Amino acid sequence: MTRPVGTPTRGTTNPNRLRRMDRWIAAAHGQALRRSDRPVAVDLGYGAAPWTTLELMRQLRTAAPRCEVVGIEIDPGRVAAAKPYECEGLSFRHGGFELPVAGPPTLIRAANVLRQYDEGEVAAVWARLCGRLAPGGLLVEGTCDEVGRRHVWVALGPEGPRTVTFATRLGSLDRPSDLAERLPKALIHRNVPGEAVHAFLRDFDRAWAAAAPYASLGARQRWIKAVRELAADWPLRDDRRRWRQGEVTVDWAALAPRSR
């Protein structure tokens, strides 16, 4: 048997931890999943318990009822523990970045997997995973806190990175730059002066401060006002429907790290 590619994660997981990411995936990628002849989604590195894989299946089935979900873990003990939860359209397999699935998947979700790797390893992992995607497929790679209040993820197609999404439970937020601690590995070390992601979060904080009068209407209205101001200077991809969810998505090219 070929040895899986990668190293085990800590395995930390909690129910509903990835709900914000899953909602965004269903909204942004649901149409592509429905169009696929055989929609297959991979949950890569689901952790010590299979809760988030089960939740991903339920969310994707609302958008694409025929979607199959495969949970992949490099720790064989975690796979064995997940096997009792298998059902029609849901399976668990031992593996890593080589993705032991038949055919190209339509979606790969890798949440809290690359955070333990060196920044210099990220591009090669992205390229490997994107190379396995079906035409029109999507890789979503990012990080969140332990209870799913704060997320940042990168969405990539077969051609490479496309967007970065910031998502939060608005009631838990003091200022948008609080999300910096959840930047994915490709960006977390770039939150320094001179880098684009630092400038983005600085401008977001300024827009949030300027929108303070809207706080009397609730954190959601303040967020929407701040994001609308941010859109004047940054290439945002989404609209008020997503902003109301405590999200904002920006072009990857606008935040991409400078070469070193």
Side-chain angles (χ1 to χ4, degrees), residues 148-195:
R149 292 174 302 178
R150 297 174 184 174
H151 292 246
V152 187
W153 61 80
V154 182
L156 306 93
E159 79 288 354
R162 296 173 177 171
T163 61
V164 183
T165 298
F166 299 79
T168 187
R169 180 179 178 273
L170 292 172
S172 73
L173 197 71
D174 289 328
R175 56 184 181 178
S177 62
D178 291 346
L179 288 161
E181 65 184 17
R182 297 301 163 185
L183 287 168
K185 179 60 73 169
L187 294 173
I188 194 165
H189 301 301
R190 304 304 184 112
N191 186 30
V192 294
E195 291 282 354

Side-chain angles (χ1 to χ4, degrees), residues 55-233:
E55 291 161 1
L56 177 65
M57 182 184 71
R58 287 195 289 267
Q59 185 65 250
L60 294 184
R61 288 279 178 89
T62 65
R66 296 182 297 111
C67 188
E68 300 176 28
V69 177
V70 181
I72 295 177
E73 248 298 336
I74 202 167
D75 183 333
R78 297 173 186 173
V79 179
K83 283 289 185 179
Y85 295 90
E86 289 187 335
C87 59
E88 183 179 356
L90 174 66
S91 60
F92 296 92
R93 299 179 190 174
H94 181 221
F97 296 137
E98 78 285 358
L99 298 187
V101 294
T106 318
L107 170 73
I108 303 169
R109 184 185 71 179
N112 303 300
V113 172
L114 295 186
R115 195 169 180 85
Q116 67 181 359
Y117 289 80
D118 292 334
E119 181 185 356
E121 298 177 277
V122 172
V125 174
W126 279 1
R128 181 171 195 147
L129 296 178
C130 287
R132 288 296 311 278
L133 287 171
L138 193 72
L139 164 63
V140 180
E141 187 274 307
T143 306
C144 69
D145 66 0
E146 287 74 11
V147 293
R149 292 174 302 178
R150 297 174 184 174
H151 292 246
V152 187
W153 61 80
V154 182
L156 306 93
E159 79 288 354
R162 296 173 177 171
T163 61
V164 183
T165 298
F166 299 79
T168 187
R169 180 179 178 273
L170 292 172
S172 73
L173 197 71
D174 289 328
R175 56 184 181 178
S177 62
D178 291 346
L179 288 161
E181 65 184 17
R182 297 301 163 185
L183 287 168
K185 179 60 73 169
L187 294 173
I188 194 165
H189 301 301
R190 304 304 184 112
N191 186 30
V192 294
E195 291 282 354
V197 70
H198 182 271
F200 176 80
L201 290 171
R202 176 203 64 205
D203 288 356
F204 206 167
D205 279 353
R206 289 174 177 171
W208 179 255
Y214 285 76
S216 61
L217 302 176
R220 177 178 295 173
Q221 294 303 317
R222 184 179 182 181
W223 175 269
I224 291 170
K225 175 62 175 177
V227 172
R228 185 175 287 118
E229 293 298 317
L230 196 65
D233 298 307

Side-chain angles (χ1 to χ4, degrees), residues 29-41 64-68 102-107 134-137:
H29 199 52
Q31 187 174 18
L33 289 166
R34 288 192 296 273
R35 286 198 306 260
S36 175
D37 292 334
R38 182 173 177 262
V40 175
R66 296 182 297 111
C67 188
E68 300 176 28
T106 318
L107 170 73

